[in-house]
Amino acid sequence: MKTAGSIPAFLVFSYFCSSNKKQTMAQKPSIPKGTRDFSPVEMARRNYIFDTVKEIFQRYGFQPIETPAMENLSTLMGKYGEEGDKLLFKILNSGDFISKVDEQELQERNSIRLTNKISEKGLRYDLTVPFARFVVQHRNDISFPFKRYQIQPVWRADRPQKGRYREFYQCDVDIVGSNSLLNELELVQIINDVFNQLRINTVVKINNRKILAGIAETIGESDRIIDITVAIDKLDKIGLEKVNLELLEKGVSQEAVDKLQPILKLSGSNAEKLDQIEAVIGASAVGKKGVDEMRTLFAYLSGFELNAEVELDLTLARGLNYYTGAIFEVKAKDVQIGSICGGGRYDDLTGIFGMPDVSGVGISFGADRIYDVMTQLELFPEEAVASTKVLFVNFGEKEEAYCLPILAKLRASKVNAEIYPEPAKMKKQMTWADRKQVASVVMVGEEEIAQGKVTLKNMKTGDQQSVTPEELIKILSE
Amino acid sequence: MKTAGSIPAFLVFSYFCSSNKKQTMAQKPSIPKGTRDFSPVEMARRNYIFDTVKEIFQRYGFQPIETPAMENLSTLMGKYGEEGDKLLFKILNSGDFISKVDEQELQERNSIRLTNKISEKGLRYDLTVPFARFVVQHRNDISFPFKRYQIQPVWRADRPQKGRYREFYQCDVDIVGSNSLLNELELVQIINDVFNQLRINTVVKINNRKILAGIAETIGESDRIIDITVAIDKLDKIGLEKVNLELLEKGVSQEAVDKLQPILKLSGSNAEKLDQIEAVIGASAVGKKGVDEMRTLFAYLSGFELNAEVELDLTLARGLNYYTGAIFEVKAKDVQIGSICGGGRYDDLTGIFGMPDVSGVGISFGADRIYDVMTQLELFPEEAVASTKVLFVNFGEKEEAYCLPILAKLRASKVNAEIYPEPAKMKKQMTWADRKQVASVVMVGEEEIAQGKVTLKNMKTGDQQSVTPEELIKILSE
């Protein structure tokens, strides 16, 4: 609210001293590195993406929540590793914060320890930890299974670089409190529907953390599961021989590497791959469970015609220790770019906040990368840039008086319409309409008034037609 | 994106040490004072408000922009007065911030001066200063007149209290670069349309800063314009006699107070009031201009049937020194609450950033107060709480296999539909549907499968009907 209490003081100042101000107070405006302003055209395109994902999330029964930008640092710290703690934006306590720091602490000049004394809040780093906090805090009001989506910005004090920002939006969709693999099916369907609607061709790569654990167990190297996965992850880039070498270097036994070969050479359909994996790791209980889970999921998926390719990909590691079941990653087929969506199943999201054993599965859409893909492939449809449908050119008082009631009727018919606010030169008004990508303009001069008509001009074709106000409304509200 | 780099470390930890974790690390979750979580029901209602204002802003040709949550402190500081500087949330510099503070500065223990050394960024306090910064920074890409709306949260380190939050949303709509009073007309129409659509009865109070300046000039007390306005503002509460006393106490002369009486006793229609004001202050150039502006605006308004009452109110001060022309304030008629929308014309929004003489006019809708009014009057329509249209009850594997393709077809027809992810007890699933306010459920048992049908149950009436899948889709997509 623009209440009295919130009036920018410089405006008070400028009103009374408008002669001094300009020399003394003008500053060149800029925004913090790694942050962005969004123009109307960018907003229209971003909203096209957000509206699409929202609509589809809701079609699957997911409901929105929001959490505050600021969380207590006790909620955030220690949740993203040491590096993550450093990348949190921390908020300075209000008031005389330094008075709470004792002399010795001040002398130590240790920024990290000092932070604990002068800052209690931070900006959220992702939507996962706030969601875990939300679930536990509101556990008595939530009916589980809880299906929520959340589309909000997050902040990271990362080094800004091309395509990496310090403020960016995440679009997360999760279901917690259900172990059913039906949830995995529906997330793949959501991925398919979203990218189908956005007209992006995709490959959905799927893996299962239990299969990876089963592999490590089978070859007798359970402790080296991370090394093994990191090596497997490089198969595409460095080839089989070098992967084997790396495994041996990491201390994996020759025998184990030999056992691993059939898995590294997997081929065929997803079902065939699962058969081959089972032949190797079937004796491992966790491995067998992973294979069964994937069989169920692929069986579910076989019932539907999807536009996306779905592929079992054992080289997919993706937060290995985070996830405990299925893992997903989505790649755009026609653009070289990192994954545009990803996620998986996790077993104990809320344990840290005192609510153990709540399994969940979720995916996160990367709005910025999707935006980049769509820009590169020119996939944004016209309705994602179009703004006002019609502009009334302003020729002066008399014409204005004739136009305003017609304009009001158009708006009452839910047509986005406007009038240029001043009788500026025709060329200026037409340039303005052009830059705003207005589809058509209405022109009214003496002749039109005399005939009780308006002239409607299509801005693209240049076609003009003389119509009554009623006809105008009919044409434009179609 | 849930990339490897962003995996919450506690989940890594919890996976490997799930036995220790629960005792040692569980914390009772909470959020910072003055901030809020929004549940799905609250989100649906808030979005109903936001969607309404957005739709109407767009109908009038306004386009969205967004600016970053963080601005450079140099952009924000000194813009909201000394008190405002204190209420800014400041962000601690990343890295070893304390190394940039010299020994003497440290010893001074002056929190305000220290802040300048260890903090460069702050959270935005309103949407006005960021908008001014935006306009100047992007001046070469903007076609003026520029009509933008902006709906984003702002943050203030205010003392939290009932109805006052440290994070809250503002919905601002402004047009800059045009002096035309047509803009004032359209803002009143927008106010009318928004509250008409939300079904809130309102009074729109209008005043003009130039009239107030004219009054002060006429009674020979131009310097005391603030004192005079503050006193007039109390007319409703304390009555004419006490207002006169206060004026005299503030040092306004008896002669001036006498001259003021006709204005304090104004009555009649808006047009009659303007005639009476003109009789008193018509000799003041600025006063005459204010009266003329109001006459033009009320003449414009007389051409339209508005649901809102529009009233010239000389006691409206509302950021007197901020605004330079029309001032608006909207009150809900059926609820005792502060203004739910307000704004006005300002002459030099962008001067501080080196771009003088850009006039603008804008209003700001208070989403939180509107939410409170609508809750109190029970104005939220059903569609603002309804979620999924239909839930398929899950009776087990065989029934699931029968239901899933039907569910997919419903979704392809854009019906929000879901299936309970597990074959839980009937009662549990129905309770879940109830709490989620699902309109109807579909039940499929052996009989339905045998007949190729489904049973559709209306959750409100309890009515059941047996229909084919095709009929189901037809019924639900209507």
Side-chain angles (χ1 to χ4, degrees), chain A residues 109-234:
Chain A
R109 288 180 158 271
N110 181 325
S111 286
I112 291 174
R113 237 171 292 168
L114 207 57
T115 302
N116 297 330
K117 294 282 169 175
I118 64 177
S119 169
E120 278 168 9
K121 291 183 281 292
L123 297 178
R124 70 177 156 245
Y125 181 91
D126 69 6
L127 302 178
T128 305
V129 168
F131 177 49
R133 196 258 318 134
F134 180 99
V135 168
V136 177
Q137 195 172 329
H138 304 281
R139 57 201 294 178
N140 296 327
D141 304 318
I142 291 173
S143 306
F144 294 95
F146 182 43
K147 298 166 81 172
R148 86 84 175 81
Y149 72 85
Q150 192 172 354
I151 300 178
Q152 288 191 280
V154 301
W155 294 269
R156 294 181 190 175
D158 231 333
R159 195 178 300 273
Q161 48 179 277
K162 197 187 173 307
R164 182 177 293 178
Y165 304 100
R166 291 182 151 186
E167 173 180 73
F168 58 97
Y169 272 75
Q170 293 194 325
C171 313
D172 280 21
V173 57
D174 290 81
I175 173 163
V176 296
S178 163
N179 295 307
S180 168
L181 291 167
L182 202 49
N183 300 312
E184 273 84 341
L185 164 71
E186 297 216 331
L187 291 175
V188 177
Q189 289 181 307
I190 285 176
I191 290 169
N192 180 71
D193 289 2
V194 164
F195 291 116
N196 191 29
Q197 194 151 322
L198 295 177
R199 300 191 293 141
I200 301 175
N201 296 318
T202 55
V203 182
V204 184
K205 300 191 173 195
I206 303 185
N207 197 4
N208 193 302
R209 192 261 178 248
K210 294 189 181 81
I211 293 179
L212 293 172
I215 292 171
E217 194 184 311
T218 303
I219 65 173
E221 301 279 0
S222 283
D223 298 345
R224 290 214 170 74
I225 180 164
I226 292 174
D227 287 340
I228 293 168
T229 316
V230 168
I232 291 180
D233 190 31
K234 296 180 186 163

Side-chain angles (χ1 to χ4, degrees), chain A residues 389-452:
Chain A
K389 206 158 180 183
V390 63
L391 171 77
F392 283 67
V393 179
N394 192 330
F395 287 101
E397 235 172 275
K398 204 177 131 199
E399 294 81 0
E400 212 180 81
Y402 178 81
C403 290
L404 286 178
I406 305 173
L407 181 58
K409 274 182 204 146
L410 269 176
R411 286 169 174 161
S413 309
K414 305 204 174 192
V415 177
N416 295 356
E418 57 187 321
I419 182 168
Y420 196 88
E422 283 151 30
K425 283 194 180 134
M426 180 77 174
K427 197 184 164 214
K428 192 179 174 188
Q429 298 190 45
M430 294 305 273
T431 306
W432 193 79
D434 227 24
R435 289 191 65 177
K436 212 170 171 174
Q437 306 198 35
V438 169
S440 48
V441 297
V442 163
M443 289 174 297
V444 167
E446 276 190 30
E447 203 181 322
E448 280 86 356
I449 296 178
Q451 298 176 347

Side-chain angles (χ1 to χ4, degrees), chain B residues 150-424:
Chain B
Q150 191 172 354
I151 300 178
Q152 289 192 279
V154 302
W155 294 269
R156 294 180 189 175
D158 231 334
R159 195 177 301 274
Q161 47 179 276
K162 196 184 172 310
R164 181 175 293 177
Y165 304 101
R166 291 183 148 184
E167 174 181 72
F168 57 97
Y169 271 75
Q170 292 193 326
C171 313
D172 280 20
V173 57
D174 290 80
I175 173 162
V176 296
S178 162
N179 296 306
S180 168
L181 290 167
L182 202 48
N183 300 312
E184 273 84 342
L185 164 71
E186 298 216 329
L187 291 176
V188 177
Q189 289 181 307
I190 286 176
I191 289 169
N192 181 71
D193 288 3
V194 165
F195 292 116
N196 191 29
Q197 194 152 321
L198 296 178
R199 299 190 294 142
I200 301 175
N201 296 318
T202 56
V203 182
V204 183
K205 300 190 171 196
I206 303 186
N207 197 4
N208 193 301
R209 193 263 179 246
K210 293 188 181 84
I211 292 180
L212 294 172
I215 292 171
E217 194 185 312
T218 302
I219 65 173
E221 301 280 1
S222 283
D223 297 345
R224 292 216 170 74
I225 179 164
I226 291 173
D227 287 339
I228 293 167
T229 316
V230 167
I232 292 180
D233 191 31
K234 295 179 186 164
L235 196 59
D236 271 357
K237 281 178 217 141
I238 64 176
L240 184 58
E241 266 177 61
K242 285 190 181 157
V243 167
N244 287 336
L245 264 177
E246 183 170 323
L247 287 167
L248 294 168
E249 273 166 25
K250 287 266 165 69
V252 178
S253 71
Q254 183 65 53
E255 200 196 335
V257 171
D258 290 344
K259 274 195 187 163
L260 202 57
Q261 296 312 298
I263 287 171
L264 293 178
K265 289 176 184 158
L266 276 186
S267 64
S269 68
N270 293 326
E272 287 164 352
K273 283 184 189 170
L274 285 170
D275 289 344
Q276 294 166 58
I277 296 169
E278 190 173 19
V280 182
I281 68 168
S284 150
V286 63
K288 178 73 168 68
K289 183 138 204 301
V291 172
D292 288 346
E293 284 183 10
M294 287 298 95
R295 281 223 178 90
T296 305
L297 177 56
F298 283 111
Y300 271 140
L301 284 167
S302 68
F304 302 96
E305 270 190 46
L306 302 177
N307 295 72
E309 263 176 55
V310 181
E311 180 187 306
L312 179 70
D313 180 359
L314 274 202
T315 72
L316 183 63
R318 217 193 147 67
L320 172 70
N321 301 308
Y322 175 36
Y323 296 112
T324 53
I327 317 170
F328 307 104
E329 195 166 280
V330 183
K331 293 266 189 185
K333 278 166 102 171
D334 307 317
V335 177
Q336 279 287 26
I337 200 166
S339 70
I340 54 178
C341 176
R345 180 171 286 276
Y346 38 83
D347 266 357
D348 194 17
L349 182 70
T350 53
I352 190 75
F353 298 116
M355 188 179 174
D357 305 326
V358 177
S359 184
V361 58
I363 50 175
S364 182
F365 288 81
D368 289 301
R369 283 197 184 155
I370 294 172
Y371 186 98
D372 288 347
V373 168
M374 294 185 65
T375 304
Q376 214 170 312
L377 300 177
E378 296 182 2
L379 292 178
F380 287 108
E382 231 173 81
E383 71 252 32
V385 285
S387 59
T388 304
K389 207 160 181 183
V390 62
L391 171 77
F392 283 67
V393 180
N394 191 328
F395 287 101
E397 233 172 276
K398 204 176 130 201
E399 294 81 2
E400 212 181 80
Y402 179 82
C403 290
L404 286 178
I406 305 173
L407 182 59
K409 273 181 204 147
L410 269 175
R411 286 169 175 161
S413 308
K414 305 204 175 192
V415 177
N416 295 355
E418 57 186 320
I419 182 167
Y420 197 89
E422 283 152 30

Side-chain angles (χ1 to χ4, degrees), chain A residues 227-247:
Chain A
D227 287 340
I228 293 168
T229 316
V230 168
I232 291 180
D233 190 31
K234 296 180 186 163
L235 196 59
D236 269 358
K237 282 178 216 140
I238 63 175
L240 184 58
E241 264 176 63
K242 283 190 182 158
V243 167
N244 287 338
L245 263 177
E246 183 171 321
L247 286 168

